[in-house]
Amino acid sequence: MLEFEATARKVLGSDLKNLLLRTRLEEHTATHRKLYTEYLKERRRLINNNQYSPETFYVAKVSQDLQSFLKSQMTWKKGRYVIEFRLNTRNFAKVSSPVLAFEISEEDIILMQNNSENMPKLIHNDCYSLVGDDNLLTFQWQWLDKELTKM
């Protein structure tokens, strides 16, 4: 089964950069949901009809569309990123949360771009794991351990 991280973020409309990011995240989420739902529906249809073959499903349009989309979403830009937490509760609560920042460099971007090469392996493993195939592909995610600074 594929696993994806969820990100929730409230963005002020007065900040155009953040507004564009929010729009991009909303478009990403909607497109990902659509492609992944199509992928799961087709897989379920093939399984229910005893027609599922990992070799065939991996090269099928729904699998390749999902793979291409995921690869295309591995985009980063050099610069400073700011993280602000806002919490809402039903009851009054006094919460202190810092505003944090981190920097992404050109070297970081190059390292993170390597993750896009994992997408074919990720989809391959998802297709083959349903049939108990022991020949799953190994891959390594590139993670950044950036220092967060208080603003």
Side-chain angles (χ1 to χ4, degrees):
M1 183 60 63
L2 296 174
E3 293 184 24
F4 300 94
E5 294 182 34
T7 302
R9 182 166 182 203
K10 181 177 180 179
V11 181
L12 297 175
S14 60
D15 187 338
L16 183 58
K17 278 174 85 173
N18 286 342
L19 184 60
L20 292 173
L21 176 61
R22 182 180 66 190
T23 302
R24 182 170 170 250
L25 289 174
E26 288 171 355
E27 289 173 5
H28 166 84
T29 302
T31 303
H32 176 265
R33 185 177 296 122
K34 176 182 175 279
L35 291 171
Y36 191 56
T37 299
E38 290 171 2
Y39 172 88
L40 293 175
K41 281 182 181 178
E42 179 62 10
R43 184 170 70 181
R44 177 61 42 209
R45 185 189 70 75
L46 292 170
I47 290 169
N48 288 344
N49 293 326
N50 289 326
Q51 297 174 332
Y52 184 80
S53 159
E55 298 87 3
T56 305
F57 189 64
Y58 175 71
V59 297
K61 184 177 183 335
V62 291
S63 299
Q64 293 304 303
D65 286 351
L66 180 60
Q67 177 181 305
S68 295
F69 173 74
L70 292 173
K71 274 184 93 165
S72 75
Q73 297 302 296
M74 293 299 219
T75 57
W76 299 94
K77 291 189 177 181
K78 176 182 170 180
R80 181 182 182 96
Y81 290 77
V82 177
I83 304 166
E84 181 178 353
F85 298 95
R86 293 186 186 191
L87 306 173
N88 295 319
T89 62
R90 293 176 196 239
N91 302 319
F92 175 78
K94 190 171 186 177
V95 178
S96 175
S97 61
V99 175
L100 305 170
F102 64 95
E103 297 274 337
I104 293 197
S105 68
E106 287 294 333
E107 294 81 21
D108 295 333
I109 293 168
I110 292 168
L111 179 67
M112 295 297 284
Q113 284 300 116
N114 291 330
N115 287 329
S116 68
E117 300 306 316
N118 290 335
M119 293 310 145
K121 295 174 184 176
L122 180 72
I123 300 297
H124 172 277
N125 287 355
D126 191 59
C127 292
Y128 281 80
S129 66
L130 287 178
V131 295
D133 193 310
D134 291 335
N135 295 317
L136 299 180
L137 303 174
T138 59
F139 53 92
Q140 178 95 23
W141 292 109
Q142 302 299 319
W143 296 97
L144 296 178
D145 187 15
K146 303 305 289 183
E147 182 177 337
L148 298 175
T149 56
K150 275 188 176 183
M151 294 188 62

